[in-house]
Amino acid sequence: MEFGTTSDTGWIGDVRELAHELSESSAAFVQATESVSDALFVALRSMPRELAPRSFARFERRDAVLIVDLRVAEQDLAGLTADEQRRLLGPQLLALVSRGTKSRTAAWSQEERSLIRVEFERMLSKLNWLPAEV
């Protein structure tokens, strides 16, 4: 499975750097999911709460890509260290990927769906994006 990231951020938080961190650390995920021919694309965005940021996950059949778009209010990031931001974003990101792997439009087997979730969680754990109890 291919993996890509992008970010679209305001001035508050380290979302751009965190997206880059995910991208730089994705080799093990890509290797572990190489039997899945599609792609996972993660967008991390921070924006003012007034813009009503809403995250989503959807599978685009035409492009064979699971798009996970995590949008967080800048106010939620204000004053947090990069580590605290990781632990804020990680569980939300994992939940979106888990939800996205349940898409009925994706032609994945149950084993492939499980593999994507497990390996994505493993990547986040290695990067300390998840609390110890997850």
Side-chain angles (χ1 to χ4, degrees):
M1 173 171 252
E2 294 179 41
F3 184 84
T5 63
T6 191
S7 64
D8 179 14
T9 66
W11 295 103
I12 299 172
D14 298 305
V15 175
R16 181 172 283 117
E17 291 80 10
L18 295 176
H20 182 70
E21 180 179 287
L22 275 179
S23 184
E24 291 292 311
S25 302
S26 65
F29 173 83
V30 170
Q31 185 176 11
T33 60
E34 67 185 357
S35 63
V36 182
S37 61
D38 301 331
L40 171 59
F41 187 75
V42 174
L44 297 180
R45 304 177 197 274
S46 67
M47 57 191 66
R49 183 169 280 121
E50 301 80 48
L51 296 178
R54 295 189 62 176
S55 300
F56 67 87
R58 75 170 170 258
F59 185 80
E60 295 287 339
R61 186 185 313 196
R62 183 182 59 154
D63 298 321
V65 61
L66 173 58
I67 299 170
V68 174
D69 194 329
L70 176 59
R71 300 174 181 194
V72 62
E74 290 175 329
Q75 294 87 333
D76 294 342
L77 300 174
L80 297 181
T81 66
D83 256 358
E84 291 168 330
Q85 291 175 55
R86 283 182 190 95
R87 287 189 210 99
L88 173 71
L89 300 177
Q92 295 177 53
L93 195 52
L94 181 58
L96 284 170
V97 168
S98 294
R99 188 169 73 204
T101 59
K102 295 175 186 172
S103 171
R104 287 182 252 166
T105 58
W108 301 322
S109 68
Q110 283 304 105
E111 293 80 21
E112 290 171 323
R113 293 170 194 272
S114 178
L115 177 67
I116 295 165
R117 286 189 300 267
V118 166
E119 292 303 325
F120 193 76
E121 182 174 1
R122 181 171 293 148
M123 180 174 68
L124 291 178
S125 292
K126 285 183 180 179
L127 293 169
N128 290 319
W129 281 50
L130 298 174
E133 66 271 4
V134 171

